[in-house]
Amino acid sequence: MTTRKPAGFLLPEQRFPRAVWLSILLVAAGDLPAAEPLTRAADVRSLPREQAALSLPVKVRGVVTWRNGSDSLTIQDDGTGIWVSVVEARESGVWQGDDSVFGKLRGGVEVEIEGRTDPGGYAPMIFPTSIRIVGRKPVPPAKPMDAARFFSGAEDCQRVEVRGVVQGFYQLPYGVTLVMDSNPGRFSATVPKSGAPDPAALVDAEVRLDGIAATLFNTRGEVTGIRVLSNAGSDLVVEKPPPPPDAVPKVTLDRLLPFRAEPTGPHRVRVEGTVTYSLSGKFFYLQEGASAVRVETNSPIALKPGDRVEAAGFVDMSRLIGTLSDATVRKTGAAGLPEPVRISPEEIFALNGVAVKAGQMALPHDYDGHLIRCRARLLAVQSESDGKGPRALTLERANTLGKGTLVFRALFDEERMKALELLAPGSELELTGLVQLDYGPNNLPSRIARTVPVNLDLILRGPEDVVVLSKPSWWTSEHLTAVLAAMFVALGGALAWNLQLKRQVKKKTRLLAREMHARRDASIEFQATLRERTRLAANLHDTLLQTISGLGFQIDACESDDPPRGEDEPPGHLEVARRMVDHAASELRNSVWALRSLPLNGLQLTEALDAIAKRLGAGHQTRIAVTTDGDLSRIPDFIAGNLLLFVQEGIHNALKHADPHSVTVELRMLEDPDRIELTVLDDGSGFTQGEQVGVAQGHFGLQGMRERIERLDGSLRIRSAPGKGTTLHAEVPLRNYDDEMAEQPASA
């Protein structure tokens, strides 16, 4: 028997390798002298658990008495057997031997084992370091079973001879396990498949078996059961074959295990009755007159209520009430079903309680397995959510024989009864079903108590076993609570929504005010910029450009006084100076034009873009193309002016720094009618992003364009790489800026 550990729980040997853990224990033992190896199995078995846990050295010689497929085995020397766990020795790092030895180990092989002691889960055992074959010896004879020592676990790992009646079996991948009764005392015995007789032919036979006693235990090291492990099918001897079916004694349903002056032993008994309920392959109920019995079977025979059946099985008292288990079944005919008895659960409990107090049998009977009919109120429906176990109706009855109420269940386990899950709690029902009692001790100490029913279930046979007498009123306390809860939730939700709306209004108001200020500031800045650019253009035109033009006239006059030069003579200084002055004047005129350029100046946006491209491209070999798409008449003048300045700066930067073959300007409306997209791209020299010159080096072009687009609440993406050209991609939302600010003259 094992117990699941809590999640996250680690035993010491799981946190550290077992060998490390045992080394810690040895160090903790202090200055003990080195121990001599233990050489007898009896010496190891007699160690207290605390000493066995110290991993004491072992060197024993014995005969293999049993070995399983996982390389664990038992050996016996001088009449004492002990478990040798190779599996755990490997896991803990103790095993250092040759694995090829396991193919030669079998019963009768004499071995010498060196290793360490371990307390084990129940009795001390050996963790081997190595195993050496030294010869062969006869397997020690099995000792006849001493029931007291056998069932207490004292014969653990010893060869024993057991006798009993086979009461059942189940198949395993490596053999078959027999369920045996030694009269008294049940245990299991595992026999290998090779050489074993047909287990079905062994049921109800008296057999003798030689094997190793192995104790089943819980996580506290307490005995929970015994099993016998056999090396070969030949270890099993049938001493008395099962009786033929006709020879099995027949008893009435109420005489399964009554008082007898002489015990009858653990053999089968035979009963006959009418099937009142059947769950195929698991169990069914038989009733005959005033008696009823539950019969458990693996037989696949299909039974239905009303079938007459003869069943032969073993009396099982694990329910604390006589049950026939491991039964064989034979149909004998058909009969009418008994009429259900109208009796309430509290009356069943009452008559059983009276019988317990009087020390008598319940009269007329205890009603386990009987068909009854009663009324009850439905409390809840337990549906089959995990696919395991039956579904159930939880029911309540007012206890007419005492105070309070009585709660019980009605079980149903067929697909056609799934409609019962739709029953409304609070319904008054009339139910017909088979009584299934759960017995337990009364309130006296368990050693002197008589058993008494402590729980009652009804097993329903079909949906017709449930009749709805009345449906519940809708205004139940649960519904009223739900309505009030819903009202409070709705009220709370309304208050929360109102509070949220107030917060949203305040937030939107702040954002709107901030946006209005931003728009006005952007418009004012735009107009101020245009006015300042116009003023600078006028000053440059009236001062520096006029001065340069005057210098050009003076140079022309001086040059006219010079004698003419031949065609092959290089230009003179005056001619070079005149050319430089002409170039400076041209550049200055371009700058003056750029500064004085207005957003639209009476043109359509497309015409203004074409004019900028034509003006900036004059005197350059670069091809400048402008494409537009969509209705651009919706663009406010304020946005259009900023976009023109953006394009002007983009083309100017490309011509000045990138030496491109072509520059393309694309302006189009997006699918979202409230957004516009502007792209300026060139195929020039490009640059490495992040390494371009900027404000720190006195270049404001890219930074100015980015700030211009951001003031329009737009976004700008720049893509460039050396030799790959440059792309400026801007997206700007269309908004109705203050018309008065946008339409102010640019040259105030």
Side-chain angles (χ1 to χ4, degrees), residues 21-87:
W21 187 254
L22 296 178
S23 300
I24 295 173
L25 292 176
L26 288 172
V27 172
D31 298 328
L32 294 176
E36 291 293 326
L38 300 172
T39 58
R40 298 172 62 247
D43 294 336
V44 178
R45 283 176 58 89
S46 63
L47 288 174
R49 293 188 61 82
E50 294 76 15
Q51 291 188 25
L54 294 177
S55 191
L56 302 176
V58 174
K59 187 175 183 180
V60 298
R61 180 176 292 196
V63 178
V64 175
T65 53
W66 176 84
R67 173 178 170 249
N68 70 357
S70 301
D71 298 338
S72 290
L73 60 146
T74 59
I75 64 170
Q76 189 166 323
D77 69 336
D78 299 331
T80 302
I82 194 165
W83 191 277
V84 181
S85 180
V86 181
V87 174

Side-chain angles (χ1 to χ4, degrees), residues 501-518:
L501 283 178
K502 288 183 178 179
R503 291 178 177 173
Q504 290 294 331
V505 168
K506 290 182 179 179
K507 182 178 179 181
K508 291 294 184 182
T509 301
R510 289 196 301 268
L511 292 176
L512 183 58
R514 188 182 307 153
E515 184 174 347
M516 290 177 66
H517 285 300

Side-chain angles (χ1 to χ4, degrees), residues 84-96:
V84 181
S85 180
V86 181
V87 174
E88 293 182 272
R90 280 199 185 101
E91 292 175 352
S92 59
V94 173
W95 172 254
Q96 302 295 327

Side-chain angles (χ1 to χ4, degrees), residues 143-365:
K143 297 186 298 183
M145 181 183 72
D146 180 327
R149 291 180 56 81
F150 179 76
F151 287 108
S152 68
E155 300 286 10
D156 183 69
C157 296
Q158 313 305 305
R159 271 184 58 79
V160 293
E161 178 190 84
V162 295
R163 284 181 165 84
V165 174
V166 178
Q167 293 190 339
F169 67 92
Y170 51 92
Q171 299 283 359
L172 298 173
Y174 50 85
V176 61
T177 293
L178 306 176
V179 179
M180 298 178 60
D181 192 322
S182 62
N183 193 27
R186 299 188 91 193
F187 61 95
S188 64
T190 301
V191 181
K193 283 186 176 180
S194 58
D198 178 13
L202 295 177
V203 177
D204 210 15
E206 295 181 15
V207 301
R208 183 184 78 243
L209 179 67
D210 293 346
I212 299 299
T215 306
L216 304 174
F217 50 88
N218 59 22
T219 55
R220 298 176 64 176
E222 300 166 337
V223 179
T224 59
I226 303 295
R227 60 176 175 165
V228 176
L229 306 175
S230 169
N231 276 313
S234 58
D235 290 334
L236 179 69
V237 177
V238 178
E239 295 189 321
K240 186 176 181 180
D246 293 341
V248 175
K250 188 174 183 179
V251 299
T252 58
L253 296 183
D254 61 345
R255 303 292 290 172
L256 289 186
L257 201 63
F259 167 75
R260 293 184 176 93
E262 295 295 331
T264 59
H267 286 280
R268 281 176 170 169
V269 296
R270 186 162 45 104
V271 297
E272 187 174 9
T274 301
V275 175
T276 53
Y277 175 79
S278 174
L279 189 59
S280 180
K282 294 184 179 180
F283 67 89
F284 60 91
Y285 276 91
L286 290 179
Q287 187 166 338
E288 186 77 351
S291 300
V293 164
R294 177 183 172 117
V295 181
E296 296 177 350
T297 179
N298 294 324
S299 173
I301 186 171
L303 298 176
K304 62 182 184 298
D307 286 341
R308 290 290 295 176
V309 165
E310 188 177 77
F314 301 94
V315 179
D316 182 7
M317 295 301 297
S318 58
R319 292 179 57 228
L320 300 181
I321 184 171
T323 302
L324 217 58
S325 66
D326 296 291
T328 59
V329 182
R330 183 174 67 91
K331 288 184 182 180
T332 61
L337 285 173
E339 283 295 320
V341 178
R342 187 170 290 278
I343 187 172
S344 66
E346 62 266 24
E347 290 173 325
I348 294 175
F349 281 118
L351 64 88
N352 278 279
V354 170
V356 168
K357 290 182 180 179
Q360 300 293 326
M361 291 177 61
L363 296 175
H365 31 69

Side-chain angles (χ1 to χ4, degrees), residues 695-716:
V695 177
Q697 292 79 28
H699 294 268
F700 301 91
L702 290 178
Q703 181 66 21
M705 286 190 288
R706 185 182 299 279
E707 291 176 354
R708 185 178 302 282
I709 295 300
E710 289 178 352
R711 282 196 297 269
L712 297 177
D713 201 19
S715 62
L716 174 64

Side-chain angles (χ1 to χ4, degrees), residues 602-624:
L603 302 175
Q604 294 294 326
L605 180 56
T606 303
E607 297 172 341
L609 288 173
D610 290 335
I612 289 177
K614 183 177 181 181
R615 176 63 182 173
L616 293 178
H620 294 275
Q621 297 297 320
T622 302
R623 183 179 64 84
I624 302 177

